[in-house]
Amino acid sequence: MDHPTSTEPTATATDPVCGMTVDIATAKHRATHGGTAFHFCSARCRERFVADPVAFTRPAAAPSACCAHGHAPASPTGAPAASAPGTQWTCPMHPEVLTDQPGSCPVCGMALEPKVITADEQPNEELADMTRRLWISVALSTPVLLLAMSAMWPGQPLQHAVSPWWLVGVQALLSTPVVLWAGAPFFARGWASIVHRSPNMFTLISLGIGVAWLFSVGALLIGWLSPASIPDAYREHGVPAVYFEAAAMITTLVLVGQVLELRARSQTGRALRALLGLAPKEARRIEPGGDERDVPLAEVVVGDRLRVRPGERIPVDGKVIEGASAVDESMISGEPMPVEKTVDAAVIGGTLNGTGGLVIAAERVGADAMLAQIVAMVGEAQRSRAPIQQLADRLSRWFVPSVVLVAVVTFVAWFVLGPEPRLTYALVNAIAVVIIACPCALGLATPISIVVATGRGAGTGVLVKNAESLQRLSEVDVLVVDKTGTLTEGRPVLATVHAVAESTEDEVLAFAAALERGSEHPLAAAIVHGAQGRRLQIGAAQDFRSITGEGVLGRVDGREVALGNARLLAREKVAQGDLAGRADELRAEGQTVMWLALDGRAVGLIGVADPIKATTEAALAELRADGLEIVMLTGDHRATATIVAQRLGITRVEAEVLPQDKQRIVEALQREGRVVAMAGDGINDGPALARADVGIAMGTGTDVAIESAGITLVKGDLRALVRARRLSRATMRNIRQNLAFAFGYNALGVPIAAGVLFPVLGFSGLLSPMLASAAMSLSSVSVIGNALRLHRARLS
């Protein structure tokens, strides 16, 4: 096992309708034309394509100026902003939206984020723009609010000093740039949502602000042109009722919410940035002539010899070729104890060297290094969707139309049944309903928690591949574990060589090593290393064949050689002879036994011992205390497996199983109604890992296992699984809190804004649009703030 995941790029396609880049893995909208599959960013784009596919497949056809719902993502100012070459931007709530420039999501209106997190936090142009608009809005809105409230000041000094028309005119003059300039991004996003049938929070915001401002402008113009048309209720003031202060303050408060939200969202990637920041910027390279010099990390290539002095961070993934030290790997594994490193030990870039000096050979650099792989995997997980998100998605689809309907009903009810001035109360309460509803809080409830949780997991040795696995892990009630490499070290050592009378131990070991030298199996490595340790001459094998779950066959020095378990001997029709009793004795000692046959005759036994990991027993005890049943699966002999199981307190053992048997056992448990997690590290564990409700791969295992699993334990330590399960439960608890808050907020806020408390509390029971705006802005911020608490969740 060299790295935790593959480096293959995510497959993308271009939407033929709007030209958007679409992630094929997450795209929900597809169609086939002329034998070619096309992927779309939205149902709207697919509908347009299906209606006239020829128009979008002609060579001269150019993408129309739309994105996921018909328009190109734009920067907050309306013009595309510059970005680093190759940077892709995506929406945290709609990962299918991909674009080459920052801007806003065409589906929900949220600011897009870079798809790949870098060590250096890039300037947030959206945040800078919104902050600038906010401060200018505050400067202009404050006097508007004071002028609007001046009629309530004792003695009304302003009203006696100047004409009320002047006061209203100044409000109009100051509030107009707030609404039309500072609120321009809200109107742009709201208009796009209406045109392309994707209503979102900006639909409601732009509708509320726009109605208040247009009504006020209209009333002011009518009053100027026809003073006699002013309603009797306002005649004593000489001016019509206007809501410039409401329009300006709502815009300002929404900007406050946007700034707070953008700042909070920028913190969600801090765990990954901290990981990336661990890698030093330079490395000390030993040149072929022996000279040493510091070079930028980008110049380090595979094979370079690098010196790591005491107290320095290891620059890249590699292998120790000189020296010894204790290395702090807590930032990768989550375990506080330093790990001893000697010659041939693997080291990880970014980890902290202790008091000893090391010389390492660079093996993985750049995007191949473990830190980069971790960030890439976590980035994909953050954009995945948990099953619990489906509930929020279904409700959000109907949310905005329902709010608009409630606002219309509110307006009609107050206009028909309300006290005078009816039009004013109808308008104010309808605007309050539109403003207070916040679908953004509902949409953010799940993805923002997933983003924070996966980042937190990456810093504790737990890599989450997708959100579904994180959710399901909290529901698991049975853990199926492979033995070798999961419960045990996975680095077996040669323990016993036994030969029959006419053969010697060295001959048996040399033939076995020659056959196993071409294998990547851990047991093979133990045999080869054992032969090398005895300084035996190892021959070359020909016609090598591997039989999964049984052993290997080949020809060495002209002789037919077979090495494997009793099933292989039976297949090859080789009698066990007197070796059967000795094999039983070795298994009773916990050794894995392999038979060696030459030219169809058994000539010896190889016993390999795989020590149990020092942390396994304690980890399994914690998992059992947490309510998990532990089942051990292994292809090893039952006697050997039983010894290991007894030492670890495991009562259910399935031994001598083939890879397909592991998958069938997982399926049988699922048919019993169990929620199954499978932990393994080998190629033969791949099918079972993929079939389990949650596949858990050891980071020290094979790429196949890691690709098949939904969760990877970086250091292959089951204690990390304990942390993963606690993280899963904390995340689901956090998501449920977010959803309850979002649902409860709207369930209470919308009726209050509509005026249901008016019959009981009178005018004090009404909610002004300004207070509704403040509540709406704070709802999203509260959801994000709650999600950020996962950074402090106790996992160990």
Side-chain angles (χ1 to χ4, degrees):
M1 158 62 195
D2 288 334
H3 48 79
T5 186
S6 69
T7 59
E8 294 182 5
T10 302
T12 59
T14 300
D15 187 326
V17 177
C18 67
M20 275 286 294
T21 301
V22 181
D23 189 329
I24 293 177
T26 58
K28 299 179 181 178
H29 309 287
R30 301 177 176 87
T32 302
H33 174 70
T36 302
F38 295 90
H39 299 78
F40 306 90
C41 63
S42 68
R44 175 62 176 163
C45 284
R46 183 185 181 280
E47 289 172 6
R48 295 179 62 189
F49 178 86
V50 172
D52 189 7
V54 176
F56 298 104
T57 54
R58 285 196 298 262
S64 59
C66 74
C67 182
H69 283 264
H71 76 301
S75 69
T77 57
S83 58
T87 301
Q88 283 194 316
W89 301 75
T90 186
C91 173
M93 288 171 57
H94 301 90
E96 68 274 12
V97 173
L98 290 174
T99 180
D100 294 331
Q101 61 190 29
S104 58
C105 174
V107 182
C108 65
M110 292 182 65
L112 300 180
E113 298 177 342
K115 184 176 181 181
V116 178
I117 293 177
T118 58
D120 298 322
E121 189 169 359
Q122 301 299 316
N124 190 328
E125 296 182 9
E126 173 86 353
L127 176 58
D129 180 75
M130 287 292 182
T131 303
R132 182 169 55 251
R133 293 173 188 268
L134 169 62
W135 288 118
I136 294 175
S137 295
V138 169
L140 296 176
S141 299
T142 302
V144 173
L145 179 63
L146 293 175
L147 289 174
M149 298 175 60
S150 63
M152 295 183 289
W153 296 355
Q156 296 184 334
L158 285 179
Q159 280 70 19
H160 289 94
V162 297
S163 167
W165 285 100
W166 279 101
L167 297 180
V168 175
V170 173
Q171 291 180 49
L173 185 66
L174 295 177
S175 65
T176 296
V178 174
V179 172
L180 298 185
W181 176 78
F186 308 148
F187 287 108
R189 297 172 185 180
W191 175 250
S193 70
I194 294 172
V195 171
H196 305 294
R197 297 183 294 177
S198 177
N200 53 52
M201 66 174 279
F202 294 102
T203 313
L204 303 178
I205 291 170
S206 59
L207 183 61
I209 296 173
V211 169
W213 185 80
L214 288 173
F215 176 86
S216 300
V217 170
L220 185 59
L221 291 176
I222 291 173
W224 280 347
L225 298 175
S226 179
S229 64
I230 299 175
D232 292 339
Y234 305 112
R235 194 172 296 281
E236 60 180 288
H237 300 295
V239 294
V242 291
Y243 301 98
F244 289 117
E245 86 285 356
M249 289 307 299
I250 289 171
T251 302
T252 302
L253 290 169
V254 172
L255 284 169
V256 170
Q258 287 291 293
V259 169
L260 292 176
E261 178 183 319
L262 288 167
R263 286 181 176 175
R265 281 168 57 189
S266 68
Q267 297 181 35
T268 59
R270 67 185 182 187
L272 296 187
R273 289 192 185 93
L275 276 178
L276 287 173
L278 294 175
K281 300 296 185 291
E282 292 184 336
R284 190 166 188 82
R285 185 166 63 192
I286 303 175
E287 304 294 348
D291 294 335
E292 299 182 9
R293 67 187 184 95
D294 293 330
V295 298
L297 197 61
E299 294 184 10
V300 175
V301 298
V302 174
D304 280 353
R305 291 185 304 153
L306 307 174
R307 184 175 300 282
V308 185
R309 290 165 290 196
E312 291 183 338
R313 290 199 178 275
I314 294 171
V316 297
D317 296 0
K319 182 174 65 175
V320 177
I321 57 177
E322 183 181 317
S325 184
V327 176
D328 181 359
E329 297 182 341
S330 60
M331 64 289 297
I332 297 294
S333 66
E335 297 298 336
M337 293 299 295
V339 180
E340 294 294 331
K341 301 291 182 180
T342 56
V343 174
D344 289 336
V347 291
I348 302 170
T351 54
L352 184 63
N353 186 27
T355 57
L358 299 174
V359 176
I360 68 171
E363 293 185 337
R364 290 184 300 279
V365 300
D368 292 332
M370 180 176 285
L371 280 179
Q373 294 292 321
I374 288 174
V375 171
M377 178 182 285
V378 174
E380 290 300 318
Q382 290 179 343
R383 290 184 289 274
S384 63
R385 298 171 76 81
I388 196 173
Q389 175 70 18
Q390 295 173 2
L391 173 62
D393 289 345
R394 286 195 297 268
L395 291 173
S396 295
R397 192 174 300 117
W398 297 99
F399 186 86
V400 174
S402 300
V403 170
V404 173
L405 178 61
V406 172
V408 171
V409 172
T410 299
F411 181 89
V412 172
W414 278 93
F415 187 75
V416 174
L417 305 174
E420 293 291 347
R422 294 179 179 178
L423 178 60
T424 297
Y425 286 121
L427 184 66
V428 169
N429 289 312
I431 291 174
V433 168
V434 168
I435 292 298
I436 198 170
C438 185
C440 189
L442 187 61
L444 274 175
T446 297
I448 201 69
S449 295
I450 296 296
V451 167
V452 177
T454 50
R456 173 70 193 281
T460 59
V462 178
L463 299 186
V464 180
K465 188 175 182 180
N466 55 68
E468 181 177 1
S469 295
L470 186 63
Q471 176 175 336
R472 292 290 280 170
L473 184 59
S474 65
E475 305 164 2
V476 166
D477 57 11
V478 58
L479 173 65
V480 177
V481 287
D482 176 50
K483 179 177 74 71
T484 304
T486 303
L487 300 176
T488 63
E489 292 287 352
R491 293 189 296 272
V493 295
L494 180 67
T496 302
V497 180
H498 179 76
V500 295
E502 59 271 27
S503 300
T504 66
E505 292 184 359
D506 285 352
E507 288 175 342
V508 169
L509 182 56
F511 275 111
L515 198 58
E516 290 282 31
R517 191 159 60 173
S519 173
E520 295 182 354
H521 195 282
L523 298 181
I527 293 172
V528 173
H529 289 159
Q532 292 172 338
R534 297 190 185 191
R535 302 183 182 278
L536 302 180
Q537 185 172 356
I538 303 174
Q542 299 174 324
D543 300 332
F544 178 84
R545 288 180 292 142
S546 176
I547 302 175
T548 304
E550 296 185 7
V552 291
L553 304 169
R555 229 162 7 98
V556 179
D557 294 337
R559 303 188 68 175
E560 298 294 332
V561 184
L563 178 68
N565 56 27
R567 284 198 299 271
L568 181 67
L569 263 63
R571 173 193 289 270
E572 298 299 311
K573 297 181 172 53
V574 176
Q576 297 182 13
D578 297 336
L579 293 174
R582 179 56 177 158
D584 290 338
E585 294 174 0
L586 296 178
R587 292 192 196 100
E589 297 173 5
Q591 296 183 31
T592 297
V593 179
M594 288 166 282
W595 306 74
L596 181 76
L598 295 178
D599 298 325
R601 182 170 180 271
V603 297
L605 299 173
I606 302 288
V608 176
D610 186 9
I612 296 173
K613 293 178 181 178
T615 59
T616 295
E617 187 173 358
L620 291 182
E622 285 195 67
L623 291 169
R624 275 193 293 265
D626 197 30
L628 287 182
E629 178 186 356
I630 311 298
V631 178
M632 186 176 83
L633 298 186
T634 179
D636 211 342
H637 193 278
R638 179 166 296 278
T640 303
T642 300
I643 293 295
V644 174
Q646 288 175 347
R647 292 175 182 174
L648 295 175
I650 299 174
T651 57
R652 183 170 177 178
V653 179
E654 301 287 347
E656 301 179 25
V657 296
L658 298 175
Q660 58 268 31
D661 296 328
K662 294 183 178 182
Q663 182 178 352
R664 283 197 291 267
I665 291 171
V666 169
E667 292 172 345
L669 288 168
Q670 290 172 328
R671 285 194 296 271
E672 296 174 7
R674 312 295 296 275
V675 181
V676 183
M678 165 73 188
D681 74 328
I683 293 176
N684 59 351
D685 297 321
L689 289 171
R691 184 66 184 86
D693 296 286
V694 181
I696 302 167
M698 302 293 110
T700 50
T702 64
D703 290 349
V704 171
I706 291 170
E707 286 299 314
S708 302
I711 292 176
T712 299
L713 310 182
V714 175
K715 298 298 290 182
D717 188 337
L718 284 177
R719 287 181 300 182
L721 180 55
V722 178
R723 294 194 292 273
R725 188 163 165 87
R726 290 174 180 169
L727 177 64
S728 172
R729 287 182 169 172
T731 303
M732 295 313 301
R733 185 165 56 249
N734 192 271
I735 289 174
R736 282 190 283 267
Q737 290 168 353
N738 285 347
L739 288 174
F741 180 84
F743 284 131
Y745 164 82
N746 286 296
L748 292 174
V750 171
I752 292 174
V756 296
L757 298 179
F758 179 74
V760 178
L761 301 178
F763 290 101
S764 61
L766 299 181
L767 188 66
S768 74
M770 284 183 289
L771 291 177
S773 176
M776 181 277 298
S777 298
L778 292 175
S779 64
S780 294
V781 176
S782 299
V783 166
I784 295 174
N786 187 51
L788 290 174
R789 291 194 308 112
L790 287 171
H791 281 303
R792 302 188 299 275
R794 184 173 181 178
L795 305 181
S796 60

